[in-house]
Amino acid sequence: MEDTEKIVEEAAAEAQSAQSSRALYEVKMKFLGRTGKLTALLKNMKEIAAELRPAFGKRVNAVRERLEELFAAREEHVKARELAEKLASEQVDVTMPAKRQRRGALHPITKTREELCDIFSGMGFEVFEGPEIESEYYNLTALNIPADHPARDMQDTFYITEKFLLRSQTSAGQIRLMEKKKPPIKMLSPGRVFRADDDATHAPMFHQMEGLVVDRGITLGDLQGMLDEFARTMFAETAKTRLRPSYFPFTEPSVEVDVSCTACGGKGCALCKGTGWIEVLGAGMVNRKVLENCGIDPDEYTGFAFGMGIDRIAMLKYGIRHIRSFTENDVRFLEQFRD
Ligand code: DAH
């Protein structure tokens, strides 16, 4: 009987000092578990005189009940504290500013290229991509620039071998396409081109967009109409174009095409050097010799071609001063093109 009193005191003291539900569980097992102290008392039953056994049994059961109540009360207390601690540690300050998800952006060259492809696809052009390593034949000879022709010097070409080079113009794609496909042709050929050239507006690698239309009865008027449409969609609803005579070996006649200044709208400013116009591309009627080189009869078919610098268009559109900005990979520059 005395033992039971001691057990209750001991259990009360240990339960009180248990600081976590895990520790409390261990205390509980120490007294009430299968090998616990109270259970051990019951095992001594046979050493007790038979007449005292019922009273002893009752006593032990009463103690069990007391202990259970005692542990339950302590458990409630410990659990409540644990919950409060958990809530405090997981507290969220809903007034804090949200963390911004930083999304990537398309490169301005990619954006411009996609925009150009969109505009011309809308006019029925299909995209054809030629190789970056090109033969001298496709890049020069077939475009009416034979070996001894002074026009070879117009572009400072990187040669890989005597016959192969890094294409200096996407015009090479015209020949590849016309060899495969006969008119009607409406082709767009975007891609990288390479020239030994290097200053604020020229880089040894840049991007061009070539266009070619060949069919019966195509005229320079068709070219101009298409260019006007292009300028209005790409730059401004009020944009105008102007053709100036020029020379390219693969077109006859050849023109250089200006767009009314994208900064001042034509009044004259620093960007257009006071002229109101900005040169954006070269174009012309496909030279008879080029058509012949591809097995297309120049008496039956005529066509126009144009080639523009994608980097240059992007520089105009976004007001970029140095062509280097495109390849420096500075996130502060690239970030500005996020939609
Ligand atoms: N290939 C020329 C260049 O790189 C641009 C060009 C001019 C392309 C006239 C054409 C064209 O198709 O007709 O400077």
Side-chain angles (χ1 to χ4, degrees), residues 63-92:
V63 166
R64 172 181 299 279
E65 267 170 38
R66 270 184 65 197
L67 289 188
E68 270 166 4
E69 272 165 31
L70 196 144
F71 288 131
R74 179 66 188 161
E75 190 175 357
E76 201 176 320
H77 179 77
V78 168
K79 283 234 164 107
R81 217 188 46 209
E82 280 175 347
L83 179 66
E85 274 166 13
K86 188 162 186 262
L87 289 178
S89 75
E90 289 176 0
Q91 201 174 44
V92 173

Side-chain angles (χ1 to χ4, degrees), residues 16-180:
Q16 200 55 40
S17 60
Q19 296 303 321
S20 67
S21 41
R22 173 87 215 148
L24 183 64
Y25 176 78
E26 269 156 25
V27 175
K28 194 170 158 180
M29 286 304 114
K30 185 170 162 189
F31 291 92
L32 298 178
R34 264 196 311 122
T35 54
K37 289 196 169 177
L38 200 68
T39 325
L41 274 187
L42 284 174
K43 284 188 184 140
N44 291 339
M45 197 72 118
K46 36 184 174 350
E47 285 161 29
I48 293 172
E51 66 276 19
L52 292 178
R53 278 183 199 165
F56 182 71
K58 244 173 118 180
R59 176 67 185 238
V60 169
N61 276 336
V63 166
R64 172 181 299 279
E65 267 170 38
R66 270 184 65 197
L67 289 188
E68 270 166 4
E69 272 165 31
L70 196 144
F71 288 131
R74 179 66 188 161
E75 190 175 357
E76 201 176 320
H77 179 77
V78 168
K79 283 234 164 107
R81 217 188 46 209
E82 280 175 347
L83 179 66
E85 274 166 13
K86 188 162 186 262
L87 289 178
S89 75
E90 289 176 0
Q91 201 174 44
V92 173
D93 181 355
V94 291
T95 64
M96 250 168 67
K99 278 196 193 134
R100 211 155 52 93
Q101 282 277 353
R102 282 160 64 93
R103 285 200 299 123
L106 286 181
H107 192 279
I109 295 287
T110 309
K111 269 177 96 123
T112 308
R113 177 189 153 136
E114 286 187 357
E115 200 174 335
L116 289 170
C117 284
D118 268 3
I119 293 173
F120 287 102
S121 308
M123 295 191 238
F125 284 73
E126 52 181 321
V127 175
F128 170 85
E129 284 181 63
E132 288 175 359
I133 294 177
E134 193 46 287
S135 74
E136 190 180 43
Y137 176 76
Y138 286 105
N139 193 77
L140 299 163
T141 316
L143 285 160
N144 196 34
I145 319 176
D148 55 353
H149 200 288
R152 288 225 169 182
D153 301 335
M154 280 170 79
Q155 303 170 1
D156 231 334
T157 310
F158 290 115
Y159 277 81
I160 295 170
T161 64
E162 221 173 287
K163 289 268 167 272
F164 288 93
L165 41 80
L166 293 179
R167 69 173 171 199
S168 62
Q169 47 186 356
T170 45
S171 306
Q174 292 184 22
I175 309 298
R176 287 192 174 267
L177 186 90
M178 283 192 284
E179 276 184 356
K180 282 204 206 82

Side-chain angles (χ1 to χ4, degrees), residues 155 168-171 174 195 208 210-211 248 250-251 255 282-284 305-308:
Q155 303 170 1
S168 62
Q169 47 186 356
T170 45
S171 306
Q174 292 184 22
R195 289 181 201 178
Q208 280 190 334
E210 191 80 11
F248 296 104
F250 32 88
T251 42
V255 292
F306 59 91
M308 62 181 91

Side-chain angles (χ1 to χ4, degrees), residues 207-268:
H207 306 76
Q208 280 190 334
M209 175 75 81
E210 191 80 11
L212 174 72
V213 173
V214 184
D215 203 350
R216 290 191 180 88
I218 297 290
T219 69
L220 204 62
D222 295 318
L223 170 67
Q224 184 150 34
M226 184 218 67
L227 288 172
D228 276 336
E229 176 65 23
F230 154 71
R232 279 195 297 268
T233 328
M234 190 71 194
F235 298 111
E237 192 49 47
T238 51
K240 289 191 196 53
T241 62
R242 152 179 110 165
L243 307 187
R244 280 181 291 109
S246 184
Y247 171 76
F248 296 104
F250 32 88
T251 42
E252 184 57 43
S254 299
V255 292
E256 235 142 348
V257 181
D258 298 339
V259 173
S260 48
C261 180
T262 50
C264 66
K267 289 197 232 31

